[in-house]
């Protein structure tokens, strides 16, 4: 890549400042946002409880307090490493690498929200050297790596999942690390480097089962490069991939044993219009988070599909085609100014990891491809392409100085969009990535205003009320109902609330002559229970 005469040191200083800001955003207000239901399940499994054990062992049909719920979120001497492994085996869609790291961290730093989320935040820091290294492997140009680091640093979607107690920052790192070793293995063709690739495949698969798509993308790329010939490199790739799969066999068996209860919500049908809208909104969060302009509005309803309805006059929606145009142009420049081996790797990584989720949704229905965290490997490919675009436009000798200045401004705007998004998001209690737990702060505000409140829910919904408990004040009491009658003790509370009941409990209360339900927060599924007469 040839260079135009302009002051690169100033650009590098600017990019370093952006990267440092991105690191700051990953750790600021770690415990501020909703500890949503998926994170509750992380803590439950890490401390050594199966979900069924959690439901069965939590005190039910009697009044308890917040601490009684959160004991299942804390490490205890009664639950050891064997219990953690056993709990993870019961939910084998989540491979254990992240959870093992999280347990180690909790043993050292405690079981607070900041500690559990801090694991993902620290892991996310490895994205920076990895994406820089991958860009060097692809383009042999340091500037692309610097710009890629800056783009990822303040990318709203990457920052959000760096602050979530889940394994998606680890999936991002292993995607990059495996891609680096894969490209080096193709070039160096030694047993040692292919052995290293096999290790990254094992790590990737034990980070998240979605890594299978990344490994498959590598295979497709290699077949294309070798013109569909079975070469030594391709055989080495097959052996390395086979090693990874063999080590995962125990987990694969557990996955299919528990398959009937895994990921049912992702197969829920939503309209094609809703699917497209989610694709566009998720894509935009690579650079700018539109949620900044919609305070306290849930974007995605993954339970019922009742997503936000935008007004055609909403100006911010017009940023979506701008970023689409930027990315399309980035791939145009990538494919025209780099070698086939470079651009085809980026395109294959994007295409395989994305289309594998999109096609099932389009053909048979579902919402897998509308969940941003599942698309992170493909998003990396997009950001690498955009990083190359900026590096090319800023250094091409055939562009006028004024044209390069324009591209500097565009780069600054793209990074500023991410920075603004991260600043606003950092102050918020809830955000779109909290999905079904989005309205927990609003629900908690209503309940906390009461002098002596009681919250009733179904025992089966213990995970949801545990998520809510992180927002509730200590004065709040909880009653989890199994199949018995509501105890007479609820009369002594100033206000009684019903939160996210199952259909059976809601019907029982609605049909009971002594209780009257008043819906006070429909999106968050909160009712006030009025006791009409003295219950016997």
């Amino acid at each position: 890549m040839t260079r135009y005469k302009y002051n690169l040191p100033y650009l590098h200083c600017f990019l370093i400042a952006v990267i440092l800001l991105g690191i700051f955003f990953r750790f600021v207000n770690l415990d501020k946002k909703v500890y949503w239901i998926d994170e509750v399940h992380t803590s439950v499994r890490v401390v050594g409880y199966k979900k069924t054990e959690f439901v069965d062992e939590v005190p039910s049909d009697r009044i308890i307090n917040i601490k009684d719920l959160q004991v299942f979120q804390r490490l205890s001497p009664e639950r050891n490493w064997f219990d953690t492994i056993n709990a993870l085996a019961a939910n084998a869609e989540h491979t254990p690498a992240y959870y093992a790291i999280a347990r180690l961290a909790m043993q050292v730093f405690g079981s607070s929200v900041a500690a559990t989320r801090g694991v993902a935040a620290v892991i996310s820091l490895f994205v920076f050297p990895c994406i820089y290294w991958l860009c060097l492997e692809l383009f042999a140009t340091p500037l692309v790596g610097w710009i890629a680091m800056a783009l990822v640093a303040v990318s709203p979607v990457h920052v959000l999942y760096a602050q979530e107690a889940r394994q998606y920052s680890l999936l991002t790192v292993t995607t990059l690390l495996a891609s680096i070793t894969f490209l080096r293995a193709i070039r160096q063709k030694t047993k040692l480097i292919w052995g290293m690739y096999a290790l990254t495949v094992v790590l990737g698969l034990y980070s998240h089962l979605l890594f299978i798509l990344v490994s498959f993308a590598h295979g497709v790329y290699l077949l294309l490069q070798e013109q569909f010939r079975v070469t030594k490199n391709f055989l080495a790739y097959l052996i390395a991939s086979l090693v990874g799969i063999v080590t995962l066999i125990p987990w694969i068996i557990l996955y299919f044993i528990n398959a009937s209860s895994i990921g049912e919500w992702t197969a829920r049908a939503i309209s094609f219009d809703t699917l497209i809208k989610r694709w566009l909104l998720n894509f935009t969060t690579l650079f700018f988070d539109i949620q900044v302009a919609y305070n306290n509005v849930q974007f995605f309803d993954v339970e019922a599909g009742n997503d936000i309805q935008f007004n055609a006059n909403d100006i911010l929606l017009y940023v979506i085609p701008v970023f689409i145009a930027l990315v399309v142009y980035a791939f145009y420049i990538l494919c025209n100014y780099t070698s086939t081996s470079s651009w085809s790797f980026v395109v294959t990584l994007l295409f395989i990891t994305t289309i594998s989720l999109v096609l099932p949704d389009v053909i048979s229905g579902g919402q897998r491809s509308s969940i941003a965290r599942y698309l992170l490997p493909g998003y990396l490919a997009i950001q690498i392409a955009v990083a190359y675009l900026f590096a090319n436009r800023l250094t091409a000798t055939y562009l006028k100085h004024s044209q390069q200045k324009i591209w500097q401004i565009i780069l600054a705007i793209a990074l500023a969009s991410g920075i603004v998004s991260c600043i606003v998001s950092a102050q918020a209690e809830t955000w779109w990535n909290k999905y079904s737990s989005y309205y927990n702060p609003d629900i908690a505000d209503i309940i906390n205003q009461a002098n002596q409140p009681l919250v009733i829910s179904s025992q089966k919904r213990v995970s949801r009320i545990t998520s809510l408990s992180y927002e509730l004040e200590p004065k709040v009491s909880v009653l989890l109902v199994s199949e018995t009658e509501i105890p007479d003790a609820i009369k002594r509370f100033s206000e009684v609330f019903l939160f996210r009941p199952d259909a059976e409990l809601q019907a029982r209360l609605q049909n009971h002559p002594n209780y009257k339900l008043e819906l006070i927060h429909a999106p968050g599924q909160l009712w006030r229970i009025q006791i009409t007469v003295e219950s016997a």
Side-chain angles (χ1 to χ4, degrees), residues 370-415:
S370 72
I371 308 302
R373 60 186 184 268
Y374 297 162
L375 299 170
L376 287 173
Y379 287 165
L380 289 171
I382 292 174
Q383 289 170 308
I384 289 171
V386 172
Y388 180 82
L389 166 68
F390 283 122
N392 177 277
R393 299 293 87 181
L394 293 176
T395 59
T397 54
Y398 54 84
L399 290 182
K400 295 180 181 178
H401 184 66
S402 59
Q403 291 175 305
Q404 292 193 330
K405 284 293 183 183
I406 291 172
W407 279 104
Q408 289 181 47
I409 293 170
I410 295 172
L411 173 60
I413 291 173
L415 294 173

Side-chain angles (χ1 to χ4, degrees), residues 318-334:
Y318 293 99
V319 305
I320 296 177
V322 172
F323 285 117
I324 290 175
L326 177 69
V327 170
V328 170
Y329 187 58
F331 276 97
Y332 169 78
I333 293 296
L334 180 74

Side-chain angles (χ1 to χ4, degrees), residues 200-453:
T200 61
V201 171
V202 172
L203 178 59
L205 291 174
Y206 272 88
S207 299
H208 201 293
L209 289 177
L210 281 175
F211 183 84
I212 292 172
L213 300 181
V214 176
S215 182
F216 181 59
H218 292 166
V220 171
Y221 167 78
L222 187 54
L223 270 180
L224 292 173
Q225 290 299 111
E226 305 288 357
Q227 298 179 336
F228 296 95
R229 293 174 298 170
V230 180
T231 61
K232 289 183 178 180
N233 263 347
F234 188 71
L235 288 174
Y237 159 78
L238 289 179
I239 292 171
S241 301
L242 185 62
V243 168
I245 293 172
V246 167
T247 63
L248 196 68
I249 284 176
W251 226 255
I252 293 172
I253 293 171
L254 290 170
Y255 177 88
F256 284 106
I257 289 173
N258 296 286
S260 61
S261 59
I262 289 174
E264 293 176 351
W265 67 272
T266 62
R268 290 174 188 159
I270 58 175
S271 69
F272 189 62
D273 289 347
T274 299
L275 198 59
I276 292 176
K277 181 168 65 178
R278 290 186 188 177
W279 290 342
L280 294 175
L281 290 173
N282 288 334
F283 159 79
T284 309
T285 58
L286 280 170
F287 310 100
F288 177 71
D289 200 324
I290 293 177
Q291 177 90 63
V292 300
Y294 296 88
N295 185 36
N296 204 27
V297 178
Q298 184 182 26
F299 269 27
F300 309 124
D301 181 359
V302 296
E303 295 179 291
N306 298 320
D307 290 12
I308 183 175
Q309 298 297 318
F310 290 103
N311 190 312
N313 296 324
D314 292 337
I315 297 177
L316 277 180
L317 292 182
Y318 293 99
V319 305
I320 296 177
V322 172
F323 285 117
I324 290 175
L326 177 69
V327 170
V328 170
Y329 187 58
F331 276 97
Y332 169 78
I333 293 296
L334 180 74
C335 294
N336 280 274
Y337 289 87
T338 66
S339 65
T340 302
S341 60
S342 294
W343 69 256
S344 61
F345 179 85
V346 179
V347 171
T348 303
L349 181 62
L350 170 62
F351 181 79
I352 296 297
T353 59
T354 303
I355 203 69
S356 300
L357 298 175
V358 168
L359 281 181
D361 287 348
V362 173
I363 295 171
S364 59
Q367 52 184 338
R368 307 161 194 83
S369 63
S370 72
I371 308 302
R373 60 186 184 268
Y374 297 162
L375 299 170
L376 287 173
Y379 287 165
L380 289 171
I382 292 174
Q383 289 170 308
I384 289 171
V386 172
Y388 180 82
L389 166 68
F390 283 122
N392 177 277
R393 299 293 87 181
L394 293 176
T395 59
T397 54
Y398 54 84
L399 290 182
K400 295 180 181 178
H401 184 66
S402 59
Q403 291 175 305
Q404 292 193 330
K405 284 293 183 183
I406 291 172
W407 279 104
Q408 289 181 47
I409 293 170
I410 295 172
L411 173 60
I413 291 173
L415 294 173
S417 299
I419 292 170
V420 170
S421 301
C422 291
I423 290 173
V424 176
S425 171
Q427 320 293 321
E429 289 184 291
T430 190
W431 211 249
W432 60 262
N433 65 312
K434 302 307 177 183
Y435 293 108
S436 58
S437 302
Y438 180 88
Y439 286 110
N440 278 10
D442 288 353
I443 300 299
D445 286 343
I446 295 170
I447 295 170
N448 289 334
Q449 288 175 14
N451 292 326
Q452 192 182 12

Side-chain angles (χ1 to χ4, degrees), residues 58 93 104 113 129 133 154 172 178 186 242 246 260 303 306 310 335 346 403 412 417 466 493 531:
V58 71
E93 77 275 24
L104 284 172
V113 170
W133 190 2
V154 294
T172 304
I186 292 175
L242 185 62
V246 167
S260 61
E303 295 179 291
N306 298 320
F310 290 103
C335 294
V346 179
Q403 291 175 305
S417 299
T466 301
F493 292 91
I531 304 174

